[in-house]
Amino acid sequence: MPSATSPDLPEPWRGFLGEVDSLLPARVQLHCLGGFVLAVRYRLSRTTSDVDYIEAVPREAIETIQRIAGRTSPLAKKHRLYFQHVGVASLPESYVERLDELSPGTFAKLRLFTLDAHDLALSKLTRNHPIDREDIAYLARTVPLRADVLRKRYRVELRPIIIGDPEVHDRTLEMWIEAYVA
């Protein structure tokens, strides 16, 4: 399980994010999810080249982040890493209350916040690809995930707003819990 303190940022992320920080004109907070969070926060040894984020504060910073470090930016070409804004994602309604800052104080202007493990797991529910199931199995083994927390957040915070057929997602969640959590 990750420690209560944030893990150190490994290379190549530290160098890339440091350059992004130096190019930002103002402070920016990003709500991160996906493979970057799994790799850096939860130490999953899978390569990813992007930092997926669902929200930027202030909202206007999305354009700046994408210009500085989006997929086609010079910085992305230099580091072979980039930021990707995720426009639509199924997340528990109160995920913001559980965000955890990654490496606080490391950068002057860039602040990265990550989903907690249960919210990260639930963010993968609607897609449910084989890689998502591998991620759930990993989180269940290492964090570990709790079935009661997954069910409650799903029922109260995600199911009422979920994209797609809720009954399909009900079955998927129960299959995940039976296969990986229980």
Side-chain angles (χ1 to χ4, degrees):
M1 179 174 181
S3 65
T5 60
S6 184
D8 289 332
L9 283 169
E11 290 298 346
W13 294 108
R14 180 178 286 279
F16 170 68
L17 296 170
E19 278 199 60
V20 172
D21 182 68
S22 72
L23 295 170
L24 286 171
R27 291 183 181 192
V28 176
Q29 294 180 16
L30 298 177
H31 300 177
C32 303
L33 65 162
F36 169 77
V37 174
L38 280 155
V40 176
R41 166 66 63 197
Y42 298 104
R43 299 181 180 97
L44 175 64
S45 60
R46 182 178 68 221
T47 304
T48 186
S49 59
D50 65 346
V51 179
D52 294 320
Y53 66 99
I54 188 70
E55 187 65 56
V57 179
R59 184 98 176 125
E60 304 79 46
I62 293 172
E63 184 179 322
T64 303
I65 289 288
Q66 292 308 125
R67 180 178 40 76
I68 291 171
R71 183 184 295 249
T72 60
S73 69
L75 202 57
K77 290 176 180 146
K78 175 182 175 182
H79 289 275
R80 298 178 193 234
L81 303 169
Y82 62 95
F83 278 91
Q84 180 167 304
H85 179 247
V86 176
V88 177
S90 290
L91 295 171
E93 193 169 40
S94 298
Y95 83 90
V96 173
E97 297 169 10
R98 295 179 292 270
L99 288 171
D100 190 23
E101 187 168 6
L102 185 65
S103 297
T106 301
F107 304 113
K109 294 174 260 179
L110 181 63
R111 295 181 66 199
L112 302 173
F113 291 85
T114 62
L115 295 180
D116 92 327
H118 293 87
D119 291 338
L120 184 59
L122 289 170
S123 77
K124 295 176 167 289
L125 188 66
T126 57
R127 193 172 77 162
N128 192 33
H129 284 187
I131 193 79
D132 298 317
R133 293 189 293 274
E134 289 174 21
D135 294 344
I136 300 308
Y138 175 81
L139 289 171
R141 282 191 316 272
T142 59
V143 172
L145 295 176
R146 291 181 36 201
D148 61 323
V149 173
L150 287 170
R151 284 185 180 112
K152 182 177 181 183
R153 286 190 195 170
Y154 173 72
R155 186 182 66 253
V156 173
E157 298 182 39
L158 184 56
R159 192 177 196 279
I161 60 171
I162 202 160
I163 297 167
D165 182 350
E167 291 181 9
V168 169
H169 303 311
D170 294 349
R171 290 189 298 274
T172 301
L173 178 62
E174 290 307 315
M175 183 268 306
W176 283 2
I177 289 170
E178 184 178 320
Y180 310 120
V181 180

